Amino acid sequence: MQHAFDQAIALEAGPDGLWQGQTSPAYANMVGPFGGITAAQVLNAVLQHPARQGDPVALTVNYCAAVADGPFAVLARPVRTNRSTQHWMVEVTQGTDTVITATVFTAMRRETWQSGEHTRPEVPAPQDVPTPAGRGRVEWLNRYELRFIEGAIPANWDGADHGTSRTRLWMRDHPPRPLDFASLAALADVFYPRVWRRRATLVPVGTVSMTVYFHAGPAELAATGTGHVLGQAQAQAFGRGYFDQTAQLWNEAGDLLATSHQVVYYKE
């Protein structure tokens, strides 16, 4: 049986780089679909494109409007192809409305000197961290196994200032699924809004733009397999209706798989 994630990102090819997709009830959010699944659908349009060269290095998704439940079209086109790099423009439309714009940068990467400066923090192993009891308050949360080490979603919305917005958790698809570029892009958006963590106040929020940088290649993804990914997210500044948050994702071996940065709207 096909995994719910693969069903959700499935696209039907059309002419001239145009793909047809459908939102999935399995990844429903409070309004429209989970933003991570939308990012994965955008990336999948490039991953499946016959003109693609190389693997994803960077993905930027701009959420121009809420994606409505139902069909959508994705237009992916390479705007520049060099000897080892490729730049893509992607647009998601519903009817005559543009709801998503995105860019994807792919490259045929080569072996070079490498070193990591942002090392994985020392945390308990996944099997030593319990999963939350009960179902998630929105459907997409049930598609993931989330084991919070610190910074779980507040149990009481009492307006208390926690003094930090940091969350650390082990996560993976539920049921487990081998990690790939599309699912890694979705995992980069699993973190709930940092303003909720900092203030324990359920204010309206919405991601405006998210960029994911892929540090892993096919070998690191294959080695991760269906294992857990350690995610860490924290905001940098809140004010005048917007905040930004950064995130890092490591596998159990300590490899930094991806980093992300997003800006989020919030309303008092």
Side-chain angles (χ1 to χ4, degrees):
M1 183 176 178
Q2 191 179 37
H3 196 283
F5 183 85
D6 296 294
Q7 294 177 24
I9 68 169
L11 300 171
E12 183 178 343
D16 301 322
L18 186 67
W19 302 86
Q20 299 294 328
Q22 180 84 23
T23 60
S24 169
Y27 288 86
N29 205 349
M30 292 180 180
V31 177
F34 163 49
I37 203 69
T38 301
Q41 291 162 338
V42 165
L43 184 59
N44 200 31
V46 174
L47 291 172
Q48 293 192 58
H49 200 290
R52 174 176 66 93
Q53 296 182 15
D55 296 320
V57 177
L59 161 70
T60 296
V61 182
N62 302 306
Y63 299 88
C64 305
V67 178
D69 294 333
F72 58 83
V74 187
L75 178 62
R77 60 187 182 91
V79 295
R80 175 83 184 200
T81 300
N82 301 314
R83 291 179 61 184
S84 61
T85 63
Q86 202 168 40
H87 297 263
W88 292 79
M89 296 290 293
V90 186
E91 183 180 10
V92 179
T93 57
Q94 291 187 303
T96 58
D97 296 328
T98 297
V99 293
I100 302 288
T101 63
T103 59
V104 179
F105 170 60
T106 64
M108 292 181 284
R109 307 181 77 159
R110 55 189 176 86
E111 290 301 318
T112 62
W113 174 85
Q114 61 184 43
S115 177
E117 294 196 8
H118 207 139
T119 58
R120 198 193 78 186
E122 292 295 327
V123 296
Q127 61 269 22
D128 296 329
V129 181
T131 56
R135 291 179 59 83
R137 60 186 298 144
V138 289
E139 188 58 34
W140 74 264
L141 288 172
N142 301 308
R143 307 286 82 78
Y144 291 97
E145 178 187 322
L146 306 175
R147 298 173 179 262
F148 285 91
I149 301 162
E150 64 174 273
I153 195 164
N156 299 306
W157 299 101
D158 54 10
D161 190 336
H162 291 143
T164 180
S165 63
R166 191 174 72 185
T167 286
R168 286 174 174 168
L169 77 162
W170 289 107
M171 54 188 175
R172 63 177 173 179
D173 290 287
H174 177 69
R177 174 189 179 278
L179 190 67
D180 57 22
F181 287 112
S183 59
L184 183 57
L187 283 174
D189 194 39
V190 158
F191 310 95
Y192 68 89
R194 300 295 85 204
V195 69
W196 293 357
R197 161 65 175 153
R198 176 66 189 271
R199 298 183 62 205
T201 302
L202 198 61
V203 298
V205 293
T207 298
V208 180
S209 182
M210 177 177 73
T211 296
V212 181
Y213 299 105
F214 299 96
H215 305 293
E220 290 81 8
L221 296 177
T224 303
T226 60
H228 291 83
V229 171
L230 178 67
Q232 175 177 276
Q234 187 165 7
Q236 298 187 106
F238 303 88
R240 289 175 286 189
Y242 294 90
F243 67 89
D244 67 335
Q245 65 184 50
T246 59
Q248 302 84 34
L249 294 92
W250 297 267
N251 62 14
E252 294 183 58
D255 299 317
L256 184 62
L257 303 175
T259 54
S260 74
H261 201 146
Q262 62 178 272
V263 62
V264 184
Y265 160 83
Y266 69 96
K267 183 178 181 181
E268 292 290 334

